[in-house]
Amino acid sequence: MEEYIVSARKYRPTSFDAVVGQQALTTTLKNAVKSGKLAHAYLFCGPRGVGKTTCARIFAKAINCLTPTAEGEACGQCESCQAFNEQRSFNIFELDAASNNSVEHIKTLMEQTRIPPQVGKYKVFIIDEVHMLSTAAFNAFLKTLEEPPAHVIFILATTEKHKILPTILSRCQIYDFERMTVRNTINHLKTVAEKEGIQYEEQALAVIAEKADGGMRDALSIFDQAASFCQGNITYQKVIEDLNVLDSDYYFQLIDMAVENKVSDIMVLLNQIINKGFDGGLLIGGLAKHVRNVLMAKDPQTLPLLEVSDQQRERYQQQAQKCETRFLYDALRLMNQCDINYRQSSNKRLLVELTLIEVAQITQPDDSPASGRKPRRLKSLFKQLIEQSQSQKAAPQVVATEPSNNISSHSGHVSTPSEPSTPKPTVSPLPKKTIGFSWNHLREKAKPQSKMQIIPGSLNSNDPNAKIKDEQQEFTQQDLELQWMMMCNRMPQKLSGIATRMKNMNPCITEMPHIEVVVENQLAFDQMTEIKGSIVNTLKIYLHNNAITLDMRIAEHQEKVRIPTRREQFELMEKENPAIKKLRDMLDLELA
């Protein structure tokens, strides 16, 4: 039985023309051989599996060839070439710096450089993974590297150029090897498959090329693995099964569903993917790469950036016609944010689900026709179903009634008057309150309306003189306090300091529609004076009264009241409501 040799060794290039994907670099080396203008030290650097050591061997063979060709290639027939092919050449030495990285190893190498070659012109020393040398070994190597004997050439190879000392770099000619493109890898795999008599699908070879991540050696190793699994017929389905790669059809389906806002279908498909054993982070990373490819396929100028097969390129172009550019931008941003937060998330599946839901809602119309800044919230997932159910069964009307005083403290029931009546708001001047007013009783009312529309001319815009509707509606003290609190919550970040102070102030209606607010000190008074116009406009808009005026004055000494601490607030709540104290005693709670 013939001995089996892996493809990475069997099809290793033996000439410059056979090297894949490094045409500019190999041309330079061939010209150097033809002209005889050879440097004493070369540094080949680049990612793994792109041909650094292979090119070093081909170059060393061509240097010592007794009758090189006109193109600068080794003839392969002379004694030097034959000795190299039979691995008995005494002029070419290979040293692995990963296992020979001490000063003693370098000194032994330096002693060998003194002996001239017996056959050929040069002694060539190929040092692989040179970045693994110790600092002391590098320093011992410096002098010889700078002024070696005339018959010595050093070829250094490394995958991590940044780890090499600058003094070494300055003494070498540096050649940077490129990563293998997917197209070059596919073409080379086709050649190998044809020589081996293996049938293949181009899409399957594209998966292998993408999995190799720019390394030809990795691509050939994966090719051998797939050929063994597929028994001589490499198909797309068998390759993704063997390599445990998520089928690209899932990505196309997810984006199609997201464009059509099919959130439920996306959740079902996500569950199928997770049940197949794929990680949510892998899905998000692959989907982000897919969306990037769709974005590149929208413009003919960026279409060459797609490193995929021709069949896949057509599918990307078809999907790019369905997707808006804004949708792709927003989807990339959301998935990038999910990828950043994935490792730190305690519930990773929920994070992936929320991300996919938000992606599916990018093209969904807003829940309200209001324009301006979109609130950071999820839209209604089943809006159409809700509207249908509401049209079939109308919701009962709720009639507001006056609160009754007939409340039984024992049974907890409230007696309701037989004839409900809607109370009309009454306007009456309220007594002035102190600075220490607490907004706790209004916070719950402000929560549902915290995400409100931005109206020009208010504190949410830069135009305090915007036009306001001609309205003269009356408002109560409670309405004023509520809108004041909500205005403070909506103020921009740059006004967060004065907004916090304004929350502790208590505006009062002196005489409809005149409002007075007491400011605690001169600094706050000056800051509020600068934005007074915007404050008044905001109150006019949300209280529906364009005759509102605002008077501000600094609090007198007797009006200043210290704001209670958290513990004092809790003790006051316990005093007003004994049930809180009972609950704390039952649960044995302590105030942090």
Side-chain angles (χ1 to χ4, degrees):
M1 183 177 180
E2 185 180 356
E3 183 182 359
Y4 173 74
I5 303 176
V6 295
S7 299
R9 293 179 54 197
K10 185 176 182 180
Y11 296 99
R12 192 166 196 167
T14 57
S15 64
F16 285 122
D17 291 337
V19 177
V20 180
Q22 311 293 344
Q23 284 76 13
L25 189 145
T26 54
T27 300
T28 305
L29 295 178
K30 286 194 295 184
N31 292 338
V33 174
K34 286 192 298 183
S35 62
K37 297 179 180 179
L38 301 174
H40 63 276
Y42 295 86
L43 175 63
F44 293 171
C45 50
R48 69 184 189 279
V50 294
K52 298 184 297 298
T53 306
T54 298
C55 284
R57 292 176 178 176
I58 297 173
F59 189 42
K61 179 181 176 182
I63 289 173
N64 281 315
C65 181
L66 301 178
T67 57
T69 64
E71 291 79 16
E73 295 275 9
C75 67
Q77 303 298 327
C78 65
E79 174 60 25
S80 176
C81 293
Q82 290 292 338
F84 177 84
N85 294 335
E86 296 172 6
Q87 298 183 357
R88 56 181 176 82
S89 174
F90 292 100
N91 296 339
I92 300 174
F93 301 89
E94 284 195 42
L95 178 69
D96 180 21
S99 55
N100 300 277
N101 55 6
S102 64
V103 177
E104 289 74 15
H105 292 120
I106 294 298
K107 288 182 178 179
T108 303
L109 179 66
M110 296 304 100
E111 292 176 358
Q112 294 179 2
T113 61
R114 300 176 183 176
I115 305 173
Q118 302 301 315
V119 179
K121 301 178 183 179
Y122 299 97
K123 266 193 170 182
V124 183
F125 294 87
I126 301 174
I127 304 179
D128 203 4
E129 302 298 334
V130 69
H131 65 274
M132 298 293 289
L133 290 178
S134 62
T135 304
F138 269 130
N139 293 330
F141 187 40
L142 276 176
K143 188 62 178 176
T144 305
L145 184 65
E146 183 176 14
E147 297 179 358
H151 59 267
V152 172
I153 293 179
F154 291 104
I155 303 178
L156 314 179
T158 179
T159 56
E160 301 185 41
K161 175 182 173 183
H162 60 279
K163 291 186 177 180
I164 300 179
L165 296 178
T167 50
I168 297 290
L169 295 176
S170 65
R171 290 167 167 81
C172 301
Q173 280 191 11
I174 301 175
Y175 290 81
D176 290 308
F177 284 67
E178 301 176 358
R179 291 176 64 252
M180 296 294 171
T181 63
V182 173
R183 175 52 53 192
N184 287 338
T185 305
I186 293 175
N187 292 336
H188 187 64
L189 292 179
K190 286 181 180 179
T191 304
V192 174
E194 291 171 358
K195 291 180 180 179
E196 293 291 327
I198 298 175
Q199 298 180 356
Y200 61 87
E201 293 180 2
E202 184 175 349
Q203 193 173 358
L205 298 183
V207 173
I208 296 175
E210 292 176 9
K211 188 77 172 179
D213 194 25
M216 186 62 73
R217 182 173 60 241
D218 293 352
L220 290 171
S221 299
I222 299 172
F223 176 82
D224 288 344
Q225 176 184 342
S228 177
F229 178 77
C230 300
Q231 293 295 313
N233 184 15
I234 301 178
T235 62
Y236 175 75
Q237 291 297 332
K238 290 183 179 179
V239 167
I240 63 174
E241 180 182 353
D242 181 38
L243 302 181
N244 195 30
V245 176
L246 185 60
D247 192 348
S248 61
D249 287 340
Y250 285 113
Y251 298 135
F252 284 101
Q253 293 179 37
L254 285 172
I255 296 303
D256 288 339
M257 293 175 183
V259 172
E260 299 174 4
N261 312 127
K262 296 181 179 179
V263 176
S264 302
D265 294 342
I266 290 178
M267 294 296 102
V268 174
L269 186 59
L270 173 62
N271 186 65
Q272 294 178 7
I273 294 173
I274 293 178
N275 288 341
K276 287 180 178 290
F278 291 100
D279 181 63
L282 177 66
L283 170 64
I284 291 296
L287 188 59
K289 182 179 179 181
H290 175 84
V291 173
R292 176 260 181 195
N293 289 342
V294 175
L295 184 62
M296 295 299 105
K298 286 189 72 68
D299 192 339
Q301 294 182 350
T302 56
L303 192 60
L305 298 179
L306 293 181
E307 294 186 345
V308 294
S309 62
D310 296 336
Q311 182 182 358
Q312 286 290 89
R313 182 179 285 105
E314 293 178 3
R315 294 190 65 184
Y316 280 120
Q317 287 180 296
Q318 293 174 3
Q319 190 168 70
Q321 296 175 359
K322 304 177 185 178
C323 302
E324 298 179 359
T325 304
R326 183 184 65 85
F327 166 79
L328 298 175
Y329 286 155
D330 292 345
L332 279 175
R333 176 180 53 80
L334 290 171
M335 285 182 285
N336 180 63
Q337 192 64 33
C338 176
D339 185 53
I340 294 173
N341 299 330
Y342 187 79
R343 290 185 180 180
Q344 299 158 352
S345 175
S346 58
N347 193 340
K348 293 179 170 50
R349 175 164 181 169
L350 178 61
L351 177 63
V352 174
E353 289 175 345
L354 287 176
T355 301
L356 294 179
I357 289 173
E358 289 186 284
V359 171
Q361 292 177 334
I362 293 174
T363 58
Q364 180 176 329
D366 293 340
D367 293 343
S368 62
S371 60
R373 182 179 61 87
K374 294 184 180 179
R376 292 181 60 83
R377 58 185 173 84
L378 294 178
K379 301 172 184 175
S380 174
L381 297 182
F382 309 103
K383 185 178 180 181
Q384 296 179 352
L385 297 177
I386 295 174
E387 291 177 351
Q388 292 176 2
S389 62
Q390 289 179 348
S391 61
Q392 294 175 359
K393 183 178 179 180
Q397 286 188 341
V398 180
V399 182
T401 60
E402 288 284 357
S404 173
N405 294 327
N406 187 12
I407 301 176
S408 174
S409 60
H410 301 285
S411 62
H413 295 288
V414 180
S415 60
T416 306
S418 58
E419 296 182 0
S421 60
T422 304
K424 296 182 179 180
T426 58
V427 180
S428 58
L430 298 177
K432 299 179 181 178
K433 298 182 182 179
T434 59
I435 299 299
F437 176 76
S438 174
W439 292 93
N440 291 334
H441 69 286
L442 292 177
R443 294 189 189 276
E444 292 299 324
K445 294 184 178 182
K447 282 181 181 178
Q449 305 180 36
S450 59
K451 307 268 185 181
M452 295 191 63
Q453 175 189 2
I454 301 174
I455 298 181
S458 66
L459 280 171
N460 303 297
S461 71
N462 297 324
D463 184 13
N465 300 317
K467 186 177 179 180
I468 303 173
K469 295 181 179 180
D470 188 10
E471 295 177 315
Q472 298 290 338
Q473 293 186 17
E474 295 184 347
F475 53 90
T476 63
Q477 176 68 23
Q478 187 175 4
D479 295 336
L480 172 61
E481 294 172 354
L482 178 62
Q483 295 302 332
W484 182 275
M485 181 64 176
M486 294 173 61
M487 175 183 66
C488 296
N489 290 335
R490 292 192 305 268
M491 290 174 69
Q493 183 66 28
K494 63 181 180 179
L495 299 178
S496 59
I498 187 61
T500 304
R501 295 188 177 189
M502 288 173 61
K503 289 180 182 179
N504 294 323
M505 300 178 188
N506 179 32
C508 299
I509 303 175
T510 55
E511 181 179 356
M512 180 63 64
H514 304 295
I515 301 171
E516 183 186 59
V517 63
V518 181
V519 186
E520 56 185 351
N521 55 47
Q522 184 64 43
L523 178 61
F525 182 85
D526 295 339
Q527 292 178 343
M528 288 184 63
T529 303
E530 295 178 359
I531 59 173
K532 180 178 178 181
S534 296
I535 295 174
V536 174
N537 280 351
T538 302
L539 295 176
K540 287 180 179 180
I541 292 169
Y542 288 101
L543 292 175
H544 306 287
N545 192 320
N546 64 347
I548 291 177
T549 60
L550 178 65
D551 296 329
M552 299 186 301
R553 64 180 179 85
I554 300 177
E556 299 178 1
H557 180 71
Q558 62 273 15
E559 291 179 308
K560 295 182 180 180
V561 178
R562 183 178 65 86
I563 300 176
T565 62
R566 291 293 181 90
R567 181 172 295 279
E568 292 172 345
Q569 293 177 5
F570 181 76
E571 292 175 352
L572 182 61
M573 290 170 60
E574 278 189 335
K575 186 176 180 181
E576 294 177 353
N577 193 347
I580 295 179
K581 184 178 185 306
K582 184 178 179 181
L583 177 64
R584 187 185 70 168
D585 295 339
M586 290 175 60
L587 300 178
D588 194 20
L589 301 177
E590 294 183 2
L591 183 64

